[in-house]
Amino acid sequence: MKLPRNKKRLLLAAAGMAGLLFLVYLFWPLGPLFDRPLSPVLYSEDGRLLGARLASDGQWRFPRESTIPEKYYRAVLQFEDRRFYLHPGVDPVAIVRAAWQNLRAGEVRSGASTITMQVARLAGGSGPRTLGRKIKEALLALKLEARYSKKEILGLFAANAPFGSNLVGIDAASWFYFGRSPEDLSWAEACFLAVLPKNPNLVSREQGWPALRAKRDRLLQRLRNRGLIDEVELRLAVAESLPSGLRPVPRQAEHLLDSLARDSARKTPFRSFIRTDLQRRLSLAAESYGEKLLNRGIRNLAAVIIDNRKGAVVAYVGNIGLDRNYDTAQYVDVARSPRSTGSILKPFLYASMLQEGLITPEMLIPDIPTRYEGFRPKNFDRRFRGAVPARTALAWSLNVPAVRMLHQFGIPRFKNTLTSWGMSTLFRPADDYGLSLILGGAEGQLLEITSIYAGMGRMALGLEGAARKIKLLQDEKPVTTGLQDLSRGAAYLALEALTEVNRPDEEGYWRNFSSARWVAWKTGTSFGLKDAWAIGVTPNYTVGVWAGNADGEGRPEITGLAAAAPFLFEVLGFLDTGGEIPRPGQALKPVLVCADSGYLAGELCPKKTTWLPVESHFDRGCSFHQLVHLDPSGKFRVDSRVESVARMRSEAWFVLPPAQEYYYRPHHPEYRPLPPFKKSQGIEVEVADGARVMNLLYPEPGTAVYVPIELDGQPGEVVLEAVHRQEGAVIHWHLDEDYLASTRHFHRVSVNPVPGEHVLVLVDGEGRRLVRRFTVIGRAEPGRSGSAGGNIRD
């Protein structure tokens, strides 16, 4: 029957409109197909699985990357959809074949789902298998084919297919069933995983395993028939047994994985630089050493190994004792937790001051009683040495010289330096930290601080990109830190100072670590004996160790030397450290300095050569040598009033300020104090300048003094302290023209001055005067006094 022309036009218009709507549907943007939570997964440098966590929905769903493993690709096409590349998402041939087979059998025995339709079904979630649902899946399959390539569709299937239990995706299945990546599967393993998604529940039933084997073997035979494998490969594959069950998840670098997963919502796996064998060895060593620490009341330990040449973390133990059931602190990733730094930051200050030309390695730094606005630092052994070379002060980790150096360098400047070098934990204003910044008044992370040490090692080696941030993951973009402002020479000299191991700690622990290996190492201990640090730099590796209790409990045994250093050297013992860092000749320049003071040598100084960074503009000359005129016996100083010029002996004399001399002499028997002036009848000894023979240790110039209030509410006392160059000298003390006392040998006087301005006058037995003005500004509450201080041990 012939349709009227207007009806034909109407039908054509309707068909055209339907076709247009269908095209619009096909190319209309798709929303996210599989917006489902993924398992955080950590891989080693060579692609081995280090650890994984369940996705938030309780599934093991590993992130899938773009490539499809070749063997799995061939196997799944042969099993699921041999006409995959011939149809547009829905296969009419398969539909006709399935319909004919089902009609002949009188029941549903064969389906017509393509891989694309299975992706559509997986994207739609679970639900009853109705005709309407089938039609929706077919339409979505057509749309998928219009939007994705065939390889992308196959990738979606591989990443989201079910593999039994709570395993989703080829990656999770490959690791849980076979302990290897999908790229390393054998033909038998690939075929097992290709047939499993069709009926994943078979793995949960004992009788299901023979059925799975039969399916796998039939698929292998099909691959042989298609010429995809040869006869030998077929026989070997058929002979392979099925997996015995699910393998346990590896538990390497667990704390690192947890920290990465907490800080990132990425859709790709974490691919690290961790070396599996080294990670395993470090973990075992840490657990073993942790048992020894546990006997001393120390429950937690962390360690990091950085490959200096690669600029990456290659082993990471964030904590130990995950199998303990009586504590929860073992779950804390201590390697990335802020902890009190102790004295571990001192090398950074030393290197910075060398760079800026503020010190030389041999320059004497005062080590005497010191107070800054109520802060009184103390050395670990509570002794003073008068003056020590800067490099020795660093090697011995002396607190008083470090505080005086920081005072010279500037707290804000040093805080900014630390931040630019990579410390992210200094969030308070510089004044809040004060001078205790160098003694543990700040908090730092083991990973970050070890990375800065590694950066210094890389700078000293002159490696390309030495100032770049140390990497944890392979896909991190290079980031240049403020270490680029540190010269190679300054970095080397700082590390060289840390190779001196004859450290004067009272326990003598350093002797345990003396060896032929070159290592620049530093320890640190926090206030309250809560954090023990030890970091060592070698040409190939930098190792950082922290020991303590994550909950902050202090113990007498928690010191850098006693708790952390032994494990540092145990780790260094199984590493190829690479010899020693050679002196970078072009980055250093020789400078003549005074052999006694370390300042630029003058005419009267004994001279020695030291090395400075070529960028250094150190220009301070030695003022410690005086030309002294002596009588013929050499026992007395004289001038022309008491001795003829012809009989005088002139000699260059090394003279420290009185306070430094007082503490220097007991440690240096070779030091010669100035001889006294020779007295002669009718001639008075010079008395004008008492500062040449006396020093006031407290109050210092410009000091604001607080008078403490005792616990009973009564005003306390302030202890004034002085030293005299001559043993047994008498000092007479006067405050505001009132006589206080006279002292001999130990010059200390207790006073209770009222608030306001005061004048203190000291007069020795020879009539030499020393005048000091100071201010008392109120009375301090209990616990706040002019004697507050810090004592940091290593």
Side-chain angles (χ1 to χ4, degrees):
M1 179 179 176
K2 191 173 182 180
L3 292 173
R5 180 175 298 180
N6 59 343
K7 287 188 177 182
K8 282 186 178 180
R9 290 177 178 175
L10 185 62
L11 287 173
L12 288 174
M17 181 62 68
L20 180 61
L21 290 174
F22 184 67
L23 288 175
V24 169
Y25 165 77
L26 289 181
F27 292 100
W28 191 263
L30 272 170
L33 284 175
F34 296 97
D35 190 17
R36 295 166 189 169
L38 298 174
S39 296
V41 179
L42 178 64
Y43 292 111
S44 67
E45 183 179 42
D46 58 358
R48 299 187 201 179
L49 182 66
L50 294 173
R53 296 287 180 270
L54 279 168
S56 60
D57 61 353
Q59 303 295 308
W60 291 106
R61 188 183 292 107
F62 286 15
R64 170 99 285 266
E65 295 180 308
S66 57
T67 58
I68 304 296
E70 183 66 22
K71 290 178 182 177
Y72 177 76
Y73 167 72
R74 298 292 182 187
V76 78
L77 285 184
Q78 288 300 315
F79 184 75
E80 292 282 1
D81 193 352
R82 280 174 282 177
R83 291 172 46 80
F84 181 61
Y85 282 94
L86 300 178
H87 62 69
V90 177
D91 188 356
V93 175
I95 292 174
V96 172
R97 184 187 68 245
W100 173 247
Q101 291 175 349
N102 295 335
L103 283 172
R104 288 183 61 186
E107 59 181 355
V108 177
R109 287 190 174 183
S110 176
S113 291
T114 63
I115 288 178
T116 313
M117 291 176 66
Q118 292 187 60
V119 171
R121 176 171 55 82
L122 293 170
S126 59
R129 307 292 297 140
T130 62
L131 179 61
R133 185 179 177 88
K134 267 287 192 183
I135 293 172
K136 287 178 64 176
E137 290 172 0
L139 290 173
L140 181 55
L142 294 173
K143 189 168 186 175
L144 290 173
E145 291 279 348
R147 301 292 299 174
Y148 294 98
S149 70
K150 290 288 187 178
K151 279 289 182 75
E152 288 173 330
I153 292 171
L154 193 56
L156 290 172
F157 175 77
N160 295 279
F163 286 89
S165 186
N166 58 343
L167 301 181
V168 177
I170 180 66
D171 291 85
S174 180
W175 283 106
F176 274 92
Y177 284 116
F178 302 109
R180 58 177 63 92
S181 72
E183 287 73 20
D184 296 327
L185 294 174
S186 67
W187 278 112
E189 293 164 345
C191 288
F192 172 82
L193 295 182
V195 303
L196 185 55
K198 191 71 99 177
N199 194 349
N201 292 326
L202 288 176
V203 295
S204 61
R205 303 194 302 269
E206 185 175 347
Q207 62 272 27
W209 289 93
L212 280 172
R213 180 160 195 151
K215 287 186 175 186
R216 182 202 71 174
D217 292 348
R218 285 196 297 270
L219 177 56
L220 285 168
Q221 185 62 55
R222 185 181 298 173
L223 293 175
R224 173 70 185 97
N225 296 340
R226 298 279 177 175
L228 297 175
I229 59 175
D230 57 32
E231 189 65 29
V232 174
E233 288 176 314
L234 173 63
R235 291 178 182 177
L236 292 174
V238 170
E240 286 188 31
S241 60
L242 295 183
S244 57
L246 299 182
R247 296 168 178 260
V249 182
R251 298 180 61 188
Q252 299 290 326
E254 289 202 86
H255 296 90
L256 175 59
L257 174 58
D258 288 339
S259 293
L260 291 172
R262 183 176 60 251
D263 298 340
S264 172
R266 60 192 284 157
K267 300 293 186 181
T268 57
F270 298 106
R271 297 199 175 273
S272 71
F273 292 93
I274 299 293
R275 297 174 189 165
T276 308
D277 294 340
L278 182 59
Q279 175 68 28
R280 185 177 296 111
R281 186 164 188 180
L282 179 64
S283 298
L284 291 173
E287 293 292 341
S288 176
Y289 183 72
E291 291 298 320
K292 301 175 185 177
L293 291 179
L294 194 59
N295 294 330
R296 296 151 61 186
I298 305 172
R299 298 183 294 276
N300 303 105
L301 178 72
V304 174
I305 302 177
I306 293 174
D307 185 325
N308 293 339
R309 310 286 180 177
K310 185 170 291 185
V313 176
V314 293
Y316 185 105
V317 172
N319 209 330
I320 57 172
L322 283 174
D323 295 329
R324 301 174 191 163
N325 56 12
Y326 57 85
D327 191 12
T328 59
Q330 70 267 26
Y331 297 106
V332 177
D333 183 1
V334 187
R336 300 187 77 179
S337 299
R339 307 295 305 192
S340 176
T341 56
S343 59
I344 205 71
L345 306 179
K346 289 176 182 175
F348 306 156
L349 176 62
Y350 179 83
S352 299
M353 295 187 73
L354 283 173
Q355 171 88 4
E356 298 297 327
L358 299 175
I359 59 172
T360 74
E362 311 298 334
M363 173 180 152
L364 289 180
I365 307 296
D367 183 18
I368 58 176
T370 300
R371 294 176 177 86
Y372 293 108
E373 298 180 358
F375 177 63
R376 186 177 67 180
K378 301 174 184 177
N379 295 322
F380 63 90
D381 56 2
R382 297 183 177 271
R383 292 186 292 178
F384 300 100
R385 292 160 179 79
V388 290
R391 62 177 293 160
T392 303
L394 175 61
W396 292 0
S397 198
L398 298 178
N399 296 330
V400 174
V403 168
R404 297 180 76 100
M405 290 168 65
L406 178 57
H407 185 262
Q408 178 187 358
F409 188 77
I411 302 169
R413 187 179 181 187
F414 186 53
K415 182 209 170 212
N416 291 337
T417 297
L418 294 174
T419 301
S420 71
W421 286 9
M423 285 187 66
S424 64
T425 51
L426 303 178
F427 54 86
R428 291 185 282 147
D431 289 343
D432 282 4
Y433 296 107
L435 291 169
S436 68
L437 175 61
I438 198 64
L439 302 183
E443 294 182 326
Q445 299 177 8
L446 176 66
L447 176 60
E448 290 183 347
I449 294 176
T450 306
S451 295
I452 297 176
Y453 273 87
M456 289 180 62
R458 288 164 54 79
M459 294 293 292
L461 287 164
L463 300 178
E464 183 179 354
R468 290 176 186 162
K469 182 181 178 182
I470 299 299
K471 289 186 175 184
L472 268 173
L473 302 176
Q474 296 179 19
D475 59 0
E476 288 183 41
K477 294 182 179 179
V479 176
T480 300
T481 70
L483 275 169
Q484 64 182 336
D485 299 325
L486 181 67
S487 70
R488 183 180 181 185
Y492 172 81
L493 291 173
L495 295 177
E496 183 189 45
L498 297 177
T499 61
E500 298 179 1
V501 296
N502 54 328
R503 304 180 183 187
D505 62 279
E506 67 274 19
E507 295 136 325
Y509 277 113
W510 63 267
R511 293 182 179 87
N512 298 329
F513 314 132
S514 299
S515 69
R517 287 193 172 192
W518 189 100
V519 55
W521 59 290
K522 181 76 182 72
T523 57
T525 307
S526 69
F527 291 119
L529 303 175
K530 298 178 180 180
D531 304 274
W533 301 74
I535 300 178
V537 181
T538 69
N540 287 346
Y541 296 98
T542 297
V543 179
V545 175
W546 177 92
N549 293 316
D551 60 5
E553 179 189 354
R555 302 281 298 184
E557 298 86 354
I558 301 179
T559 68
L561 280 166
F567 188 62
L568 166 68
F569 281 86
E570 180 182 340
V571 174
L572 289 171
F574 58 70
L575 295 174
D576 176 10
T577 56
E580 68 178 80
I581 297 178
R583 175 177 289 172
Q586 293 182 345
L588 300 172
K589 62 182 178 182
V591 178
L592 278 179
V593 297
C594 173
D596 293 324
S597 71
Y599 288 79
L600 296 181
E603 294 181 357
L604 300 177
C605 298
K607 299 174 178 59
K608 66 181 291 187
T609 299
T610 191
W611 294 90
L612 292 178
V614 293
E615 298 83 2
S616 171
H617 297 289
F618 184 82
D619 59 359
R620 300 173 65 182
C622 177
S623 61
F624 294 94
H625 282 90
Q626 303 175 12
L627 188 62
V628 177
H629 303 297
L630 306 172
D631 69 353
S633 70
K635 296 180 179 179
F636 298 97
R637 283 182 287 165
V638 296
D639 57 24
S640 59
R641 295 176 296 172
V642 297
E643 193 70 68
S644 67
V645 175
R647 289 173 52 81
M648 291 182 190
R649 290 172 47 191
S650 298
E651 187 173 340
W653 208 280
F654 177 55
V655 183
L656 288 170
Q660 295 183 33
E661 180 183 285
Y662 177 81
Y663 292 99
Y664 186 86
R665 286 174 62 184
H667 299 277
H668 297 270
E670 75 282 1
Y671 181 82
R672 300 181 301 162
L674 276 172
F677 279 103
K678 186 174 183 179
K679 298 181 180 180
S680 180
Q681 188 173 4
I683 299 177
E684 294 188 3
V685 178
E686 177 185 3
V687 298
D689 189 5
R692 294 184 180 180
V693 295
M694 292 181 286
N695 268 174
L696 259 173
L697 300 179
Y698 189 73
E700 295 183 335
T703 299
V705 175
Y706 290 88
V707 178
I709 299 296
E710 302 297 345
L711 294 176
D712 61 2
Q714 298 300 312
E717 294 182 331
V718 174
V719 178
L720 310 179
E721 185 175 2
V723 294
H724 198 288
R725 193 183 295 279
Q726 297 174 2
E727 293 186 11
V730 175
I731 297 180
H732 307 287
W733 298 71
H734 302 80
L735 182 63
D736 300 330
E737 299 184 356
D738 293 330
Y739 171 76
L740 292 177
S742 296
T743 57
R744 184 189 296 269
H745 299 297
F746 301 102
H747 304 290
R748 297 185 182 92
V749 173
S750 297
V751 296
N752 186 0
V754 299
E757 300 289 334
H758 296 276
V759 179
L760 180 65
V761 178
L762 277 61
V763 183
D764 72 358
E766 301 291 341
R768 290 170 287 211
R769 295 163 54 87
L770 182 65
V771 179
R772 178 67 46 82
R773 297 181 182 276
F774 66 96
T775 303
V776 175
I777 51 175
R779 302 179 185 272
E781 296 299 325
R784 180 186 181 188
S785 73
S787 60
N791 176 28
I792 296 294
R793 296 175 59 194
D794 282 341

